[in-house]
Amino acid sequence: PRRRGVGAPTAGSKLRGPEEYTIGCRVKVFWTSDDSWYAGLIEDQQTSGEGGPDEVTLSKIVYDDGDVEVLNLVGIGERIFLLTHA
């Protein structure tokens, strides 16, 4: 993202499993290169595979500043927090 980041999640924030991040959810994503959190909306998701260990769900995140990123939310635990449910 191009603009200033948003604050880190509050002490009451709960780390959630990737299955809770669905289309319409607002999230904060930590960019290590900027050492900042950025807020955005999960706008789309695509799942490949037919279940099981090979299944991958890619989530399209549209940040508040207009930047777009596609992420596999599995395995990035501390880098993403749910702000609001869809």
Side-chain angles (χ1 to χ4, degrees), residues 12-54:
S13 296
K14 176 183 172 191
L15 187 62
R16 299 176 185 274
E19 68 281 354
E20 295 187 58
Y21 298 104
T22 58
I23 294 172
C25 289
R26 285 198 46 80
V27 295
K28 279 187 185 179
V29 179
F30 185 74
W31 281 40
T32 54
S33 61
D34 293 350
D35 195 31
S36 294
W37 291 90
Y38 295 94
L41 180 74
I42 298 176
E43 189 174 272
D44 193 21
Q45 291 182 316
Q46 297 289 323
T47 301
S48 63
E50 300 198 18
D54 296 332

Side-chain angles (χ1 to χ4, degrees), residues 69-85:
E69 181 176 33
V70 176
L71 293 174
N72 176 359
L73 301 179
V74 175
I76 66 169
E78 70 281 352
R79 286 188 47 222
I80 186 161
F81 281 86
L82 182 67
L83 295 175
T84 61
H85 286 280

